[in-house]
Amino acid sequence: MFASSTQDVPEVRPVPRHIAIIMDGNGRWAKKRFLPRVAGHKRGLESVRDTIKACADLGVEYLTLFAFSTENWRRPPDEVSFLMGLFMTALEREVDKLHRNNIRLHVIGSRERFSAEIVERIERAEARTAGNAGLVLTIAADYGGRWDVMQAANRLLAQGATRLDEAALAANLSMAYAPEPDLFIRTGGEQRISNFLLWQLAYAELFFTDLLWPDFDAQALTSAVASFQSRERRFGRTSEQLPETQRRG
């Protein structure tokens, strides 16, 4: 398990070790082009491919993408149905490419509302890529930050815990296998984290862009990383306490 940023100061690197992204704006991208919303979701999958490659090329070790939140079930039934179908297709068609590129896949979130076929494909995809040592790609699907904290607490209570502490709770979160995100990106112009990785984003650098997700590409990722590199990451310390190489301005 990785140390928490509120307990220990993480290593500060020029390239984020872990990037987490809310991929927002697919529907608006399609609407601007007088296309159905589903066309935006299809085009958004191309941006996922581009971003995975760009992260691997930059040396990012972990990439986490928010694909479907617990609140997204509130969307129109036909859109939800399409998204489930797109998820199925991606699990079928993309896993071989991930495996060939040494990428390990994790899917986090509740699986209770997914069909048995989707759950089977998730498990098969995770098993297929389990031995890979390159980029760790996490897809958050039917995921919510509050759900994550609650399921971790309930797991500890089921184990007989009578007192919860930060280390124990963190070890039972969905992403205990990964360091906390260094950089959080949200496309689409909105400036909120929308119940995504609430615990893990405590000290992430936040980057918001007006670009809609289907327009997000390697250049846009490079701009986000450049912004990250301009930040002074103090983790509660003063600027004077930082090594000179980490000071900004």
Side-chain angles (χ1 to χ4, degrees), residues 195-243:
N195 198 21
F196 183 41
L197 299 177
L198 295 180
W199 181 281
Q200 298 90 336
L201 289 176
Y203 268 102
E205 299 298 326
L206 309 183
F207 181 86
F208 300 99
T209 174
D210 290 333
L211 279 176
L212 302 176
W213 177 247
D215 293 325
F216 193 85
D217 55 15
Q219 183 177 351
L221 180 71
T222 300
S223 295
V225 171
S227 174
F228 169 84
Q229 292 169 337
S230 73
R231 315 281 180 92
E232 192 174 80
R233 307 197 74 202
R234 295 190 296 272
F235 298 98
R237 300 167 294 173
T238 66
S239 295
E240 290 72 22
Q241 289 176 284
L242 304 181

mmCIF file of all heavy atoms in Angstrom, residues 195-243:
data_model
loop_
_atom_site.group_PDB
_atom_site.id
_atom_site.type_symbol
_atom_site.label_atom_id
_atom_site.label_comp_id
_atom_site.label_asym_id
_atom_site.label_seq_id
_atom_site.Cartn_x
_atom_site.Cartn_y
_atom_site.Cartn_z
ATOM 1 N N ASN A 195 -17.672 13.926 -7.016
ATOM 2 C CA ASN A 195 -17.703 12.654 -6.296
ATOM 3 C C ASN A 195 -16.683 11.652 -6.848
ATOM 4 O O ASN A 195 -16.899 10.453 -6.809
ATOM 5 C CB ASN A 195 -19.119 12.047 -6.333
ATOM 6 C CG ASN A 195 -19.338 10.985 -5.272
ATOM 7 O OD1 ASN A 195 -18.633 10.934 -4.266
ATOM 8 N ND2 ASN A 195 -20.305 10.103 -5.498
ATOM 9 N N PHE A 196 -15.567 12.147 -7.344
ATOM 10 C CA PHE A 196 -14.521 11.293 -7.916
ATOM 11 C C PHE A 196 -13.319 11.255 -6.977
ATOM 12 O O PHE A 196 -12.741 12.299 -6.659
ATOM 13 C CB PHE A 196 -14.111 11.853 -9.277
ATOM 14 C CG PHE A 196 -13.076 11.043 -10.024
ATOM 15 C CD1 PHE A 196 -13.117 9.668 -10.043
ATOM 16 C CD2 PHE A 196 -12.074 11.682 -10.737
ATOM 17 C CE1 PHE A 196 -12.184 8.926 -10.753
ATOM 18 C CE2 PHE A 196 -11.132 10.958 -11.454
ATOM 19 C CZ PHE A 196 -11.188 9.580 -11.461
ATOM 20 N N LEU A 197 -12.931 10.086 -6.505
ATOM 21 C CA LEU A 197 -11.712 9.900 -5.712
ATOM 22 C C LEU A 197 -11.595 10.936 -4.579
ATOM 23 O O LEU A 197 -10.546 11.561 -4.395
ATOM 24 C CB LEU A 197 -10.479 9.966 -6.618
ATOM 25 C CG LEU A 197 -10.387 8.915 -7.732
ATOM 26 C CD1 LEU A 197 -9.147 9.162 -8.588
ATOM 27 C CD2 LEU A 197 -10.357 7.496 -7.169
ATOM 28 N N LEU A 198 -12.669 11.094 -3.823
ATOM 29 C CA LEU A 198 -12.705 12.145 -2.806
ATOM 30 C C LEU A 198 -11.569 12.023 -1.800
ATOM 31 O O LEU A 198 -10.961 13.023 -1.397
ATOM 32 C CB LEU A 198 -14.049 12.115 -2.071
ATOM 33 C CG LEU A 198 -15.287 12.434 -2.910
ATOM 34 C CD1 LEU A 198 -16.540 12.356 -2.044
ATOM 35 C CD2 LEU A 198 -15.170 13.810 -3.550
ATOM 36 N N TRP A 199 -11.266 10.829 -1.380
ATOM 37 C CA TRP A 199 -10.191 10.609 -0.405
ATOM 38 C C TRP A 199 -8.827 10.825 -1.057
ATOM 39 O O TRP A 199 -7.949 11.490 -0.514
ATOM 40 C CB TRP A 199 -10.311 9.180 0.147
ATOM 41 C CG TRP A 199 -9.292 8.805 1.168
ATOM 42 C CD1 TRP A 199 -7.978 8.437 0.945
ATOM 43 C CD2 TRP A 199 -9.482 8.748 2.590
ATOM 44 N NE1 TRP A 199 -7.355 8.150 2.122
ATOM 45 C CE2 TRP A 199 -8.253 8.329 3.151
ATOM 46 C CE3 TRP A 199 -10.565 8.991 3.425
ATOM 47 C CZ2 TRP A 199 -8.078 8.152 4.527
ATOM 48 C CZ3 TRP A 199 -10.395 8.808 4.782
ATOM 49 C CH2 TRP A 199 -9.164 8.392 5.330
ATOM 50 N N GLN A 200 -8.663 10.282 -2.251
ATOM 51 C CA GLN A 200 -7.355 10.233 -2.887
ATOM 52 C C GLN A 200 -6.891 11.575 -3.455
ATOM 53 O O GLN A 200 -5.695 11.773 -3.693
ATOM 54 C CB GLN A 200 -7.358 9.184 -4.002
ATOM 55 C CG GLN A 200 -7.616 7.760 -3.516
ATOM 56 C CD GLN A 200 -9.098 7.395 -3.492
ATOM 57 O OE1 GLN A 200 -9.967 8.261 -3.413
ATOM 58 N NE2 GLN A 200 -9.383 6.100 -3.560
ATOM 59 N N LEU A 201 -7.807 12.507 -3.706
ATOM 60 C CA LEU A 201 -7.441 13.770 -4.337
ATOM 61 C C LEU A 201 -7.045 14.852 -3.331
ATOM 62 O O LEU A 201 -6.915 16.022 -3.691
ATOM 63 C CB LEU A 201 -8.609 14.294 -5.191
ATOM 64 C CG LEU A 201 -8.905 13.516 -6.475
ATOM 65 C CD1 LEU A 201 -10.151 14.081 -7.162
ATOM 66 C CD2 LEU A 201 -7.721 13.560 -7.432
ATOM 67 N N ALA A 202 -6.801 14.472 -2.083
ATOM 68 C CA ALA A 202 -6.537 15.450 -1.024
ATOM 69 C C ALA A 202 -5.457 16.452 -1.387
ATOM 70 O O ALA A 202 -5.586 17.656 -1.102
ATOM 71 C CB ALA A 202 -6.155 14.723 0.271
ATOM 72 N N TYR A 203 -4.377 16.011 -2.036
ATOM 73 C CA TYR A 203 -3.274 16.914 -2.376
ATOM 74 C C TYR A 203 -2.938 16.890 -3.865
ATOM 75 O O TYR A 203 -1.837 17.266 -4.258
ATOM 76 C CB TYR A 203 -2.030 16.595 -1.534
ATOM 77 C CG TYR A 203 -1.971 17.415 -0.271
ATOM 78 C CD1 TYR A 203 -2.326 16.863 0.957
ATOM 79 C CD2 TYR A 203 -1.580 18.753 -0.313
ATOM 80 C CE1 TYR A 203 -2.284 17.624 2.116
ATOM 81 C CE2 TYR A 203 -1.539 19.518 0.841
ATOM 82 C CZ TYR A 203 -1.882 18.946 2.058
ATOM 83 O OH TYR A 203 -1.842 19.712 3.203
ATOM 84 N N ALA A 204 -3.879 16.492 -4.681
ATOM 85 C CA ALA A 204 -3.652 16.520 -6.128
ATOM 86 C C ALA A 204 -3.660 17.960 -6.630
ATOM 87 O O ALA A 204 -4.367 18.820 -6.090
ATOM 88 C CB ALA A 204 -4.729 15.718 -6.847
ATOM 89 N N GLU A 205 -2.880 18.220 -7.666
ATOM 90 C CA GLU A 205 -2.954 19.497 -8.369
ATOM 91 C C GLU A 205 -4.133 19.419 -9.343
ATOM 92 O O GLU A 205 -4.279 18.429 -10.077
ATOM 93 C CB GLU A 205 -1.655 19.770 -9.127
ATOM 94 C CG GLU A 205 -0.431 19.856 -8.234
ATOM 95 C CD GLU A 205 -0.506 20.991 -7.219
ATOM 96 O OE1 GLU A 205 -1.080 22.050 -7.556
ATOM 97 O OE2 GLU A 205 -0.001 20.816 -6.093
ATOM 98 N N LEU A 206 -4.977 20.450 -9.349
ATOM 99 C CA LEU A 206 -6.198 20.436 -10.150
ATOM 100 C C LEU A 206 -6.001 21.247 -11.428
ATOM 101 O O LEU A 206 -5.486 22.365 -11.388
ATOM 102 C CB LEU A 206 -7.369 21.006 -9.357
ATOM 103 C CG LEU A 206 -7.603 20.411 -7.960
ATOM 104 C CD1 LEU A 206 -8.845 21.036 -7.325
ATOM 105 C CD2 LEU A 206 -7.732 18.892 -8.007
ATOM 106 N N PHE A 207 -6.436 20.681 -12.552
ATOM 107 C CA PHE A 207 -6.318 21.352 -13.841
ATOM 108 C C PHE A 207 -7.645 21.240 -14.568
ATOM 109 O O PHE A 207 -8.131 20.141 -14.833
ATOM 110 C CB PHE A 207 -5.209 20.707 -14.683
ATOM 111 C CG PHE A 207 -5.003 21.357 -16.025
ATOM 112 C CD1 PHE A 207 -4.177 22.461 -16.163
ATOM 113 C CD2 PHE A 207 -5.636 20.859 -17.160
ATOM 114 C CE1 PHE A 207 -3.985 23.066 -17.402
ATOM 115 C CE2 PHE A 207 -5.458 21.457 -18.402
ATOM 116 C CZ PHE A 207 -4.628 22.564 -18.522
ATOM 117 N N PHE A 208 -8.240 22.390 -14.877
ATOM 118 C CA PHE A 208 -9.517 22.415 -15.583
ATOM 119 C C PHE A 208 -9.312 23.043 -16.962
ATOM 120 O O PHE A 208 -8.593 24.034 -17.104
ATOM 121 C CB PHE A 208 -10.549 23.223 -14.791
ATOM 122 C CG PHE A 208 -10.823 22.675 -13.420
ATOM 123 C CD1 PHE A 208 -10.209 23.235 -12.297
ATOM 124 C CD2 PHE A 208 -11.669 21.598 -13.242
ATOM 125 C CE1 PHE A 208 -10.450 22.729 -11.028
ATOM 126 C CE2 PHE A 208 -11.920 21.080 -11.972
ATOM 127 C CZ PHE A 208 -11.304 21.646 -10.864
ATOM 128 N N THR A 209 -9.936 22.464 -17.961
ATOM 129 C CA THR A 209 -9.832 22.983 -19.314
ATOM 130 C C THR A 209 -11.207 23.056 -19.953
ATOM 131 O O THR A 209 -12.078 22.216 -19.683
ATOM 132 C CB THR A 209 -8.903 22.104 -20.185
ATOM 133 O OG1 THR A 209 -8.933 22.574 -21.536
ATOM 134 C CG2 THR A 209 -9.324 20.644 -20.160
ATOM 135 N N ASP A 210 -11.405 24.060 -20.820
ATOM 136 C CA ASP A 210 -12.666 24.189 -21.544
ATOM 137 C C ASP A 210 -12.779 23.191 -22.690
ATOM 138 O O ASP A 210 -13.867 23.028 -23.266
ATOM 139 C CB ASP A 210 -12.814 25.609 -22.096
ATOM 140 C CG ASP A 210 -13.058 26.635 -20.998
ATOM 141 O OD1 ASP A 210 -13.610 26.256 -19.947
ATOM 142 O OD2 ASP A 210 -12.689 27.811 -21.194
ATOM 143 N N LEU A 211 -11.687 22.551 -23.059
ATOM 144 C CA LEU A 211 -11.740 21.557 -24.130
ATOM 145 C C LEU A 211 -12.753 20.474 -23.793
ATOM 146 O O LEU A 211 -12.780 19.967 -22.670
ATOM 147 C CB LEU A 211 -10.376 20.898 -24.327
ATOM 148 C CG LEU A 211 -9.318 21.623 -25.152
ATOM 149 C CD1 LEU A 211 -8.022 20.810 -25.127
ATOM 150 C CD2 LEU A 211 -9.788 21.819 -26.591
ATOM 151 N N LEU A 212 -13.572 20.116 -24.746
ATOM 152 C CA LEU A 212 -14.478 18.984 -24.567
ATOM 153 C C LEU A 212 -13.677 17.696 -24.761
ATOM 154 O O LEU A 212 -12.709 17.661 -25.535
ATOM 155 C CB LEU A 212 -15.627 19.071 -25.573
ATOM 156 C CG LEU A 212 -16.451 20.368 -25.497
ATOM 157 C CD1 LEU A 212 -17.504 20.402 -26.602
ATOM 158 C CD2 LEU A 212 -17.100 20.539 -24.125
ATOM 159 N N TRP A 213 -14.071 16.649 -24.064
ATOM 160 C CA TRP A 213 -13.245 15.443 -24.047
ATOM 161 C C TRP A 213 -12.874 14.921 -25.441
ATOM 162 O O TRP A 213 -11.710 14.548 -25.676
ATOM 163 C CB TRP A 213 -13.904 14.335 -23.213
ATOM 164 C CG TRP A 213 -13.095 13.065 -23.262
ATOM 165 C CD1 TRP A 213 -13.440 11.882 -23.836
ATOM 166 C CD2 TRP A 213 -11.775 12.881 -22.726
ATOM 167 N NE1 TRP A 213 -12.426 10.966 -23.706
ATOM 168 C CE2 TRP A 213 -11.394 11.562 -23.024
ATOM 169 C CE3 TRP A 213 -10.880 13.696 -22.038
ATOM 170 C CZ2 TRP A 213 -10.154 11.024 -22.640
ATOM 171 C CZ3 TRP A 213 -9.651 13.185 -21.653
ATOM 172 C CH2 TRP A 213 -9.296 11.868 -21.967
ATOM 173 N N PRO A 214 -13.770 14.876 -26.414
ATOM 174 C CA PRO A 214 -13.369 14.368 -27.732
ATOM 175 C C PRO A 214 -12.275 15.202 -28.404
ATOM 176 O O PRO A 214 -11.635 14.730 -29.351
ATOM 177 C CB PRO A 214 -14.670 14.407 -28.544
ATOM 178 C CG PRO A 214 -15.747 14.288 -27.521
ATOM 179 C CD PRO A 214 -15.234 15.086 -26.363
ATOM 180 N N ASP A 215 -12.050 16.434 -27.932
ATOM 181 C CA ASP A 215 -11.000 17.288 -28.491
ATOM 182 C C ASP A 215 -9.705 17.205 -27.688
ATOM 183 O O ASP A 215 -8.710 17.836 -28.054
ATOM 184 C CB ASP A 215 -11.465 18.754 -28.528
ATOM 185 C CG ASP A 215 -12.607 18.963 -29.520
ATOM 186 O OD1 ASP A 215 -12.614 18.290 -30.563
ATOM 187 O OD2 ASP A 215 -13.498 19.794 -29.231
ATOM 188 N N PHE A 216 -9.712 16.448 -26.614
ATOM 189 C CA PHE A 216 -8.517 16.330 -25.768
ATOM 190 C C PHE A 216 -7.538 15.371 -26.437
ATOM 191 O O PHE A 216 -7.893 14.260 -26.813
ATOM 192 C CB PHE A 216 -8.910 15.812 -24.387
ATOM 193 C CG PHE A 216 -7.834 15.936 -23.345
ATOM 194 C CD1 PHE A 216 -7.683 17.120 -22.634
ATOM 195 C CD2 PHE A 216 -6.984 14.888 -23.067
ATOM 196 C CE1 PHE A 216 -6.698 17.250 -21.662
ATOM 197 C CE2 PHE A 216 -5.997 14.998 -22.099
ATOM 198 C CZ PHE A 216 -5.853 16.187 -21.396
ATOM 199 N N ASP A 217 -6.291 15.821 -26.591
ATOM 200 C CA ASP A 217 -5.299 15.002 -27.288
ATOM 201 C C ASP A 217 -3.960 15.083 -26.566
ATOM 202 O O ASP A 217 -3.861 15.620 -25.456
ATOM 203 C CB ASP A 217 -5.156 15.455 -28.747
ATOM 204 C CG ASP A 217 -4.823 16.944 -28.881
ATOM 205 O OD1 ASP A 217 -4.424 17.558 -27.867
ATOM 206 O OD2 ASP A 217 -4.954 17.484 -29.999
ATOM 207 N N ALA A 218 -2.912 14.557 -27.203
ATOM 208 C CA ALA A 218 -1.589 14.526 -26.580
ATOM 209 C C ALA A 218 -1.085 15.925 -26.264
ATOM 210 O O ALA A 218 -0.450 16.155 -25.224
ATOM 211 C CB ALA A 218 -0.606 13.793 -27.488
ATOM 212 N N GLN A 219 -1.361 16.872 -27.144
ATOM 213 C CA GLN A 219 -0.922 18.249 -26.901
ATOM 214 C C GLN A 219 -1.621 18.835 -25.677
ATOM 215 O O GLN A 219 -1.008 19.548 -24.871
ATOM 216 C CB GLN A 219 -1.195 19.111 -28.133
ATOM 217 C CG GLN A 219 -0.706 20.553 -27.988
ATOM 218 C CD GLN A 219 -0.926 21.374 -29.250
ATOM 219 O OE1 GLN A 219 -1.287 20.845 -30.293
ATOM 220 N NE2 GLN A 219 -0.713 22.673 -29.141
ATOM 221 N N ALA A 220 -2.909 18.541 -25.541
ATOM 222 C CA ALA A 220 -3.654 19.031 -24.381
ATOM 223 C C ALA A 220 -3.115 18.412 -23.095
ATOM 224 O O ALA A 220 -3.014 19.085 -22.061
ATOM 225 C CB ALA A 220 -5.140 18.708 -24.543
ATOM 226 N N LEU A 221 -2.746 17.136 -23.158
ATOM 227 C CA LEU A 221 -2.165 16.487 -21.985
ATOM 228 C C LEU A 221 -0.830 17.133 -21.635
ATOM 229 O O LEU A 221 -0.536 17.381 -20.460
ATOM 230 C CB LEU A 221 -1.981 14.992 -22.241
ATOM 231 C CG LEU A 221 -1.380 14.220 -21.058
ATOM 232 C CD1 LEU A 221 -2.377 14.111 -19.917
ATOM 233 C CD2 LEU A 221 -0.917 12.833 -21.480
ATOM 234 N N THR A 222 -0.036 17.415 -22.649
ATOM 235 C CA THR A 222 1.247 18.072 -22.415
ATOM 236 C C THR A 222 1.057 19.426 -21.739
ATOM 237 O O THR A 222 1.818 19.802 -20.839
ATOM 238 C CB THR A 222 2.010 18.241 -23.739
ATOM 239 O OG1 THR A 222 2.248 16.950 -24.309
ATOM 240 C CG2 THR A 222 3.343 18.937 -23.523
ATOM 241 N N SER A 223 0.029 20.176 -22.136
ATOM 242 C CA SER A 223 -0.261 21.475 -21.514
ATOM 243 C C SER A 223 -0.638 21.301 -20.041
ATOM 244 O O SER A 223 -0.228 22.098 -19.183
ATOM 245 C CB SER A 223 -1.406 22.172 -22.262
ATOM 246 O OG SER A 223 -1.033 22.488 -23.583
ATOM 247 N N ALA A 224 -1.412 20.265 -19.743
ATOM 248 C CA ALA A 224 -1.802 20.002 -18.357
ATOM 249 C C ALA A 224 -0.578 19.643 -17.512
ATOM 250 O O ALA A 224 -0.437 20.108 -16.368
ATOM 251 C CB ALA A 224 -2.833 18.886 -18.301
ATOM 252 N N VAL A 225 0.309 18.842 -18.069
ATOM 253 C CA VAL A 225 1.525 18.463 -17.349
ATOM 254 C C VAL A 225 2.435 19.676 -17.163
ATOM 255 O O VAL A 225 3.056 19.847 -16.111
ATOM 256 C CB VAL A 225 2.261 17.322 -18.080
ATOM 257 C CG1 VAL A 225 3.635 17.067 -17.460
ATOM 258 C CG2 VAL A 225 1.421 16.045 -18.039
ATOM 259 N N ALA A 226 2.499 20.561 -18.165
ATOM 260 C CA ALA A 226 3.296 21.787 -18.033
ATOM 261 C C ALA A 226 2.758 22.656 -16.897
ATOM 262 O O ALA A 226 3.528 23.247 -16.122
ATOM 263 C CB ALA A 226 3.299 22.559 -19.348
ATOM 264 N N SER A 227 1.429 22.742 -16.780
ATOM 265 C CA SER A 227 0.831 23.480 -15.671
ATOM 266 C C SER A 227 1.217 22.841 -14.344
ATOM 267 O O SER A 227 1.566 23.536 -13.378
ATOM 268 C CB SER A 227 -0.691 23.520 -15.824
ATOM 269 O OG SER A 227 -1.298 24.118 -14.697
ATOM 270 N N PHE A 228 1.160 21.530 -14.288
ATOM 271 C CA PHE A 228 1.560 20.785 -13.088
ATOM 272 C C PHE A 228 2.998 21.116 -12.706
ATOM 273 O O PHE A 228 3.323 21.333 -11.530
ATOM 274 C CB PHE A 228 1.402 19.286 -13.349
ATOM 275 C CG PHE A 228 2.005 18.398 -12.302
ATOM 276 C CD1 PHE A 228 1.300 18.090 -11.151
ATOM 277 C CD2 PHE A 228 3.273 17.856 -12.469
ATOM 278 C CE1 PHE A 228 1.854 17.268 -10.175
ATOM 279 C CE2 PHE A 228 3.834 17.036 -11.503
ATOM 280 C CZ PHE A 228 3.118 16.741 -10.355
ATOM 281 N N GLN A 229 3.871 21.181 -13.692
ATOM 282 C CA GLN A 229 5.290 21.425 -13.436
ATOM 283 C C GLN A 229 5.555 22.844 -12.933
ATOM 284 O O GLN A 229 6.603 23.101 -12.343
ATOM 285 C CB GLN A 229 6.102 21.150 -14.703
ATOM 286 C CG GLN A 229 6.121 19.671 -15.073
ATOM 287 C CD GLN A 229 6.685 19.405 -16.454
ATOM 288 O OE1 GLN A 229 6.689 20.282 -17.320
ATOM 289 N NE2 GLN A 229 7.147 18.180 -16.686
ATOM 290 N N SER A 230 4.600 23.747 -13.163
ATOM 291 C CA SER A 230 4.761 25.126 -12.698
ATOM 292 C C SER A 230 4.283 25.316 -11.260
ATOM 293 O O SER A 230 4.457 26.389 -10.686
ATOM 294 C CB SER A 230 3.977 26.075 -13.610
ATOM 295 O OG SER A 230 2.569 25.950 -13.387
ATOM 296 N N ARG A 231 3.682 24.285 -10.680
ATOM 297 C CA ARG A 231 3.127 24.397 -9.335
ATOM 298 C C ARG A 231 4.209 24.124 -8.276
ATOM 299 O O ARG A 231 5.144 23.379 -8.502
ATOM 300 C CB ARG A 231 1.984 23.387 -9.128
ATOM 301 C CG ARG A 231 0.971 23.286 -10.267
ATOM 302 C CD ARG A 231 -0.052 24.382 -10.283
ATOM 303 N NE ARG A 231 -0.985 24.237 -11.383
ATOM 304 C CZ ARG A 231 -2.157 23.586 -11.315
ATOM 305 N NH1 ARG A 231 -2.533 23.026 -10.184
ATOM 306 N NH2 ARG A 231 -2.944 23.505 -12.373
ATOM 307 N N GLU A 232 4.021 24.700 -7.113
ATOM 308 C CA GLU A 232 4.895 24.427 -5.974
ATOM 309 C C GLU A 232 4.146 23.490 -5.037
ATOM 310 O O GLU A 232 3.147 23.878 -4.421
ATOM 311 C CB GLU A 232 5.254 25.741 -5.266
ATOM 312 C CG GLU A 232 6.371 25.609 -4.257
ATOM 313 C CD GLU A 232 6.791 26.963 -3.701
ATOM 314 O OE1 GLU A 232 6.084 27.469 -2.799
ATOM 315 O OE2 GLU A 232 7.786 27.515 -4.180
ATOM 316 N N ARG A 233 4.601 22.281 -4.917
ATOM 317 C CA ARG A 233 3.896 21.260 -4.134
ATOM 318 C C ARG A 233 4.491 21.218 -2.722
ATOM 319 O O ARG A 233 5.548 20.643 -2.481
ATOM 320 C CB ARG A 233 3.990 19.900 -4.824
ATOM 321 C CG ARG A 233 3.527 19.933 -6.280
ATOM 322 C CD ARG A 233 3.233 18.542 -6.791
ATOM 323 N NE ARG A 233 1.986 18.041 -6.233
ATOM 324 C CZ ARG A 233 1.680 16.738 -6.142
ATOM 325 N NH1 ARG A 233 2.558 15.826 -6.539
ATOM 326 N NH2 ARG A 233 0.524 16.355 -5.635
ATOM 327 N N ARG A 234 3.788 21.820 -1.780
ATOM 328 C CA ARG A 234 4.344 22.004 -0.436
ATOM 329 C C ARG A 234 3.852 20.979 0.583
ATOM 330 O O ARG A 234 4.499 20.744 1.589
ATOM 331 C CB ARG A 234 4.035 23.427 0.054
ATOM 332 C CG ARG A 234 4.713 24.512 -0.776
ATOM 333 C CD ARG A 234 4.586 25.881 -0.123
ATOM 334 N NE ARG A 234 3.204 26.323 -0.050
ATOM 335 C CZ ARG A 234 2.575 26.997 -1.018
ATOM 336 N NH1 ARG A 234 3.211 27.286 -2.146
ATOM 337 N NH2 ARG A 234 1.322 27.377 -0.880
ATOM 338 N N PHE A 235 2.668 20.421 0.399
ATOM 339 C CA PHE A 235 2.119 19.429 1.333
ATOM 340 C C PHE A 235 2.172 19.936 2.784
ATOM 341 O O PHE A 235 2.591 19.225 3.701
ATOM 342 C CB PHE A 235 2.865 18.093 1.207
ATOM 343 C CG PHE A 235 2.748 17.474 -0.152
ATOM 344 C CD1 PHE A 235 3.763 17.629 -1.091
ATOM 345 C CD2 PHE A 235 1.617 16.752 -0.519
ATOM 346 C CE1 PHE A 235 3.657 17.078 -2.354
ATOM 347 C CE2 PHE A 235 1.502 16.190 -1.785
ATOM 348 C CZ PHE A 235 2.528 16.362 -2.705
ATOM 349 N N GLY A 236 1.751 21.191 2.982
ATOM 350 C CA GLY A 236 1.681 21.764 4.329
ATOM 351 C C GLY A 236 2.931 22.508 4.759
ATOM 352 O O GLY A 236 2.910 23.182 5.797
ATOM 353 N N ARG A 237 3.994 22.391 3.979
ATOM 354 C CA ARG A 237 5.250 23.056 4.346
ATOM 355 C C ARG A 237 5.292 24.480 3.777
ATOM 356 O O ARG A 237 4.419 24.890 3.024
ATOM 357 C CB ARG A 237 6.447 22.254 3.809
ATOM 358 C CG ARG A 237 6.528 20.826 4.352
ATOM 359 C CD ARG A 237 7.511 19.995 3.558
ATOM 360 N NE ARG A 237 7.054 19.800 2.181
ATOM 361 C CZ ARG A 237 7.785 19.226 1.219
ATOM 362 N NH1 ARG A 237 8.995 18.785 1.498
ATOM 363 N NH2 ARG A 237 7.295 19.094 0.006
ATOM 364 N N THR A 238 6.302 25.239 4.122
ATOM 365 C CA THR A 238 6.526 26.552 3.542
ATOM 366 C C THR A 238 7.447 26.418 2.338
ATOM 367 O O THR A 238 8.154 25.413 2.185
ATOM 368 C CB THR A 238 7.178 27.512 4.553
ATOM 369 O OG1 THR A 238 8.513 27.043 4.850
ATOM 370 C CG2 THR A 238 6.368 27.591 5.842
ATOM 371 N N SER A 239 7.465 27.444 1.503
ATOM 372 C CA SER A 239 8.354 27.435 0.339
ATOM 373 C C SER A 239 9.809 27.277 0.756
ATOM 374 O O SER A 239 10.602 26.600 0.092
ATOM 375 C CB SER A 239 8.198 28.728 -0.462
ATOM 376 O OG SER A 239 6.902 28.829 -1.008
ATOM 377 N N GLU A 240 10.162 27.912 1.877
ATOM 378 C CA GLU A 240 11.556 27.884 2.325
ATOM 379 C C GLU A 240 12.017 26.487 2.724
ATOM 380 O O GLU A 240 13.213 26.210 2.743
ATOM 381 C CB GLU A 240 11.743 28.853 3.498
ATOM 382 C CG GLU A 240 11.651 30.337 3.126
ATOM 383 C CD GLU A 240 10.228 30.774 2.802
ATOM 384 O OE1 GLU A 240 9.269 30.100 3.251
ATOM 385 O OE2 GLU A 240 10.074 31.783 2.085
ATOM 386 N N GLN A 241 11.078 25.625 3.041
ATOM 387 C CA GLN A 241 11.449 24.268 3.440
ATOM 388 C C GLN A 241 11.719 23.354 2.242
ATOM 389 O O GLN A 241 12.253 22.264 2.413
ATOM 390 C CB GLN A 241 10.329 23.646 4.292
ATOM 391 C CG GLN A 241 10.185 24.244 5.672
ATOM 392 C CD GLN A 241 9.002 23.629 6.405
ATOM 393 O OE1 GLN A 241 7.850 23.952 6.124
ATOM 394 N NE2 GLN A 241 9.289 22.735 7.335
ATOM 395 N N LEU A 242 11.330 23.802 1.055
ATOM 396 C CA LEU A 242 11.474 22.949 -0.122
ATOM 397 C C LEU A 242 12.890 22.999 -0.657
ATOM 398 O O LEU A 242 13.574 24.026 -0.551
ATOM 399 C CB LEU A 242 10.510 23.403 -1.229
ATOM 400 C CG LEU A 242 9.022 23.469 -0.900
ATOM 401 C CD1 LEU A 242 8.249 23.908 -2.128
ATOM 402 C CD2 LEU A 242 8.509 22.142 -0.391
ATOM 403 N N PRO A 243 13.345 21.912 -1.293
ATOM 404 C CA PRO A 243 14.613 21.988 -2.015
ATOM 405 C C PRO A 243 14.501 23.051 -3.105
ATOM 406 O O PRO A 243 13.410 23.282 -3.653
ATOM 407 C CB PRO A 243 14.734 20.578 -2.629
ATOM 408 C CG PRO A 243 13.849 19.710 -1.799
ATOM 409 C CD PRO A 243 12.731 20.589 -1.328
#
